Structures are given as C-alpha cells and as structure tokens.
Amino acid sequence: MKLIVMGSGTSHGIPVIGCDCPVCRSSDIRDKRTRAALYIQGDAGERVVIDTGPEFRLQALSAGITRLDAVLLTHAHADHIHGLDDIRALSWEHPIPVYANRATIAEMRERFAYIFKETQRGGGKPRIIPTEVTAPLTIGSLTFTPIPVKHGVLDILGWRIAENGAGEGANAHSKAAPSGNAKPETETRTAVYLTDTSLIPPSSLNLIRRAEVFIIGAIRDRPHETHFTFAQALATAIEVGARRVYLTHISHEHSHREIEAYCRGFLTDQELNGISVGPSWDGLELNLR
Ligand SMILES: [Zn+2]
Ligand SMILES: [Zn+2]
Ligand SMILES: [Zn+2]
C-alpha cells in the first residue's frame, strides 16, 4: 500500500496568517504545512482518506485522488473536518461512507446539517453515509482499526491500517515470526496514524505496537495541553517498537530542518539504532511492500 501525508500542519496551517516568524517566511517547501490528513491507497486500488481539513480539495488534487471508497475521521475539530463538503465531486457515482466515533459523527451531522436536510435549494451537496465505528472495518484488502486516545478531555480516534488483513487482533500476535531474513507480514504492511493525541490509554497500547510506519502528532517542543510534544511523541513511538516514525500536526515554532536535528539528537541521547525518526511534510509518500 501507499500512504501520502497530505497535510502535516497544526490547526492554523503554516504559514500562519499575519505571522512573520522565520518558519512562516521560510523558503523551504517542507515548512509549508497544510492541515493534517493522510491518504491511503491499497495495492488493489482501495482509496481512503483520514480527515478532510480546510485544504482537502487542494490536497486531493495534488495527491491525484480521483475516487474515494471511504473517509475516516479522527475527530470533529475544524482543522480535521471542515473540508468535508469537497468530497462532493467524488461522491457523484456512489455515496461515500464516513467512519468515526459516536461523538464525531454527532458533531459532523450538526456542522454539516444542510447535507442531511431537504431544505437547501440549489448548490450541490456531498453524498455521505455517516457510520459510527467501534470495531475494525474492512475496505477491500485493507483493515482499519480504530484506536481510542485522549486529545485533552476529548475521546478521539487514531487508526491502525493493515493490508491483506495482516496485523490485526490475536491473529497478528499469535503468528510466529518467520525464520531467516523475511520480515513478518505484520511488520511490513502495517501503519499507525495518531494525530491530536495527549494521552494513550493502556488499553489502546496493543493497537499501536509493531507498526512498520508510525505517523504521530507532535505539535512543538514546549508542552501543550492537548497535544504531544516532540519528546512525548518520540518516547511513545520508541515504547511501542516503531521503526519508521514521522511527526505530523506540527506548529510554526520550528523549521523542518530544526526538527530533523532535534530527532537526530533524541536518537543519539537515547542510544537508539536502526530506527528512523523525523518530521513528515506535505506530499511525503511512503510505500509499504
Ligand atoms: Zn488538529
Ligand atoms: Zn509563524
Ligand atoms: Zn484537534
């Protein structure tokens, strides 16, 4: 499967309107961060996005999305869902299921009330099927497992993504690792996407273990009430045995290069080898084979 980090920025996007800090004025393309979102394309052509923020239309155009099987939402904050209307152009042929937890579905119905009412005259509307999710769901050969986490006081979802059904539940953990150099399938085709997280309940830890790719929200170096800092995100990723770690939902307090240096320092301080850690950027494409 292929993953594209469509947006890697925090809620206001970078550059921030009206800000003239060095990061907002940076000419490094990786310092332009639109609102956080992920695109997943399965080997059998499945196409799914996690979150539809304000730049969804532009992100979909640059990722080359021409069809969508589902939208998965982490939560209902503006930076994650207010571009939902723009799935309209992808929903003409068939309505698109939108999966989220109960609270997010309820808020989404409120924010997008016009979609579900007959009162609107003229102007198009997306065709969506709101679907509350409490268990893993399957789309073609992809399995998406909701991961309950805390975002401040909010209960939101991260997502575990596995191809060919590998890597989920007891099945994944009861399989013995093959001998020789072959990697177990559970490690080569599983990714975890966790944004806007400030706490992972112990009951969710198993769902984030042993992913080959771990994309985790890390807003900045300074503490934040509702988001992991760089250090908290990296410590979490190391704790669960991730080997390729990408930070996302990043603020304008640090440039891409500064965060790269921070991550290198973190690995050196912790004497960690064989792990790759760094900031993601808009358009970053990851192939899991
Ligand atoms: Zn957010
Ligand atoms: Zn700035
Ligand atoms: Zn949020």
Side-chain angles (χ1 to χ4, degrees), residues 12-28 31-33 251-255:
H12 42 55
I14 289 103
V16 181
I17 295 173
C19 183
D20 66 350
C21 79
V23 177
C24 288
R25 285 185 290 109
S26 165
S27 58
D28 186 337
D31 288 331
K32 314 283 179 216
R33 302 173 183 137
S251 84
H252 64 142
E253 294 192 14
H254 313 272
S255 70

Coordinates of all heavy atoms in Angstrom, one line a residue, residues 12-28 31-33 251-255:
H12 N -3.9 25.9 12.6 CA -3.9 27.1 11.8 C -3.2 27.1 10.5 O -3.3 27.9 9.6 CB -3.4 28.3 12.6 CG -2.2 28.0 13.4 ND1 -1.0 27.5 12.8 CD2 -1.9 28.1 14.7 CE1 -0.1 27.4 13.7 NE2 -0.6 27.7 14.9
G13 N -2.5 26.0 10.2 CA -1.7 25.8 9.0 C -0.5 26.7 9.0 O -0.5 27.7 9.8
I14 N 0.5 26.4 8.2 CA 1.7 27.2 8.2 C 2.1 27.5 6.7 O 2.1 26.6 5.9 CB 2.9 26.4 8.9 CG1 2.7 26.4 10.4 CG2 4.2 27.2 8.7 CD1 2.2 25.2 11.0
P15 N 2.3 28.8 6.3 CA 2.4 29.9 7.2 C 1.1 30.3 7.9 O 0.0 30.1 7.3 CB 2.9 31.0 6.3 CG 2.6 30.6 4.9 CD 2.6 29.1 4.9
V16 N 1.3 30.9 9.1 CA 0.1 31.4 9.9 C -0.2 32.7 9.3 O 0.6 33.5 9.0 CB 0.5 31.5 11.4 CG1 -0.7 32.0 12.1 CG2 1.0 30.2 11.9
I17 N -1.5 33.0 9.1 CA -1.9 34.3 8.6 C -1.4 35.4 9.5 O -1.6 35.4 10.7 CB -3.5 34.4 8.5 CG1 -4.0 33.3 7.5 CG2 -3.9 35.8 8.1 CD1 -5.6 33.2 7.5
G18 N -0.7 36.3 8.9 CA -0.2 37.5 9.6 C 1.1 37.3 10.4 O 1.5 38.2 11.0
C19 N 1.6 36.1 10.3 CA 2.9 35.9 11.1 C 4.1 36.1 10.2 O 4.1 35.7 9.1 CB 2.9 34.4 11.6 SG 4.3 34.1 12.7
D20 N 5.1 36.7 10.8 CA 6.3 36.9 10.0 C 7.5 36.2 10.7 O 8.7 36.7 10.6 CB 6.6 38.4 9.8 CG 6.9 39.2 11.0 OD1 6.7 38.6 12.1 OD2 7.3 40.3 10.9
C21 N 7.3 35.2 11.4 CA 8.4 34.4 12.1 C 9.2 33.7 11.0 O 8.8 33.6 9.8 CB 7.8 33.4 13.1 SG 7.2 31.9 12.3
P22 N 10.4 33.3 11.3 CA 11.3 32.7 10.3 C 10.7 31.5 9.6 O 10.9 31.3 8.4 CB 12.5 32.3 11.1 CG 12.5 33.2 12.3 CD 11.1 33.4 12.6
V23 N 9.9 30.7 10.3 CA 9.3 29.5 9.7 C 8.2 29.9 8.7 O 8.1 29.3 7.6 CB 8.8 28.5 10.8 CG1 8.1 27.3 10.2 CG2 10.0 28.0 11.7
C24 N 7.4 30.8 9.1 CA 6.3 31.2 8.2 C 6.9 31.9 7.0 O 6.2 32.0 6.0 CB 5.3 32.1 9.0 SG 4.3 31.2 10.2
R25 N 8.1 32.5 7.1 CA 8.7 33.2 5.9 C 9.7 32.3 5.2 O 10.3 32.6 4.2 CB 9.4 34.5 6.4 CG 8.5 35.6 6.7 CD 9.2 36.9 7.0 NE 9.9 36.8 8.3 CZ 11.3 36.8 8.4 NH1 12.0 36.8 7.4 NH2 11.8 36.7 9.6
S26 N 9.8 31.0 5.7 CA 10.8 30.1 5.1 C 10.6 29.8 3.7 O 9.4 29.7 3.2 CB 10.8 28.8 5.9 OG 11.5 27.8 5.3
S27 N 11.7 29.6 2.9 CA 11.5 29.2 1.5 C 11.6 27.7 1.3 O 11.4 27.2 0.2 CB 12.6 29.9 0.7 OG 13.9 29.6 1.2
D28 N 11.8 27.0 2.4 CA 11.9 25.5 2.4 C 10.4 25.0 2.2 O 9.6 25.3 3.0 CB 12.5 25.0 3.7 CG 12.7 23.5 3.6 OD1 12.0 22.8 2.8 OD2 13.5 23.0 4.4
D31 N 8.4 23.6 4.9 CA 7.9 24.4 6.0 C 6.5 24.9 5.7 O 5.9 25.7 6.5 CB 8.9 25.6 6.3 CG 10.1 25.1 7.0 OD1 10.0 24.1 7.7 OD2 11.2 25.7 6.8
K32 N 6.0 24.6 4.5 CA 4.6 24.9 4.2 C 3.7 23.8 4.6 O 3.8 22.7 4.0 CB 4.4 25.2 2.7 CG 5.5 26.0 2.0 CD 5.3 27.5 2.3 CE 6.4 28.3 1.7 NZ 6.7 29.5 2.5
R33 N 3.0 23.9 5.7 CA 2.3 22.8 6.2 C 0.8 23.0 6.2 O 0.3 23.9 6.9 CB 2.7 22.5 7.7 CG 4.2 22.3 7.8 CD 4.7 22.2 9.3 NE 6.1 22.0 9.3 CZ 6.9 22.7 10.2 NH1 6.4 23.5 11.1 NH2 8.2 22.5 10.2
S251 N 3.6 22.7 14.5 CA 3.3 24.2 14.6 C 4.4 24.9 13.8 O 5.3 24.4 13.2 CB 3.3 24.6 16.0 OG 4.6 24.9 16.5
H252 N 4.3 26.3 13.9 CA 5.3 27.1 13.2 C 6.5 27.5 14.1 O 7.3 28.4 13.8 CB 4.7 28.4 12.7 CG 4.1 29.3 13.7 ND1 4.1 30.7 13.7 CD2 3.5 29.0 14.9 CE1 3.6 31.2 14.7 NE2 3.2 30.2 15.5
E253 N 6.6 26.8 15.3 CA 7.7 27.2 16.2 C 9.0 26.6 15.8 O 10.1 27.0 16.3 CB 7.3 26.8 17.6 CG 6.1 27.5 18.2 CD 5.9 27.4 19.6 OE1 6.8 26.9 20.3 OE2 4.8 27.7 20.1
H254 N 9.0 25.6 14.9 CA 10.3 25.0 14.5 C 10.3 24.7 13.0 O 9.3 24.3 12.4 CB 10.5 23.7 15.2 CG 10.2 23.7 16.6 ND1 11.2 24.1 17.6 CD2 9.1 23.6 17.3 CE1 10.6 24.1 18.8 NE2 9.4 23.8 18.7
S255 N 11.4 24.9 12.3 CA 11.5 24.6 10.9 C 11.7 23.1 10.7 O 12.0 22.4 11.7 CB 12.7 25.3 10.3 OG 13.9 24.8 10.8

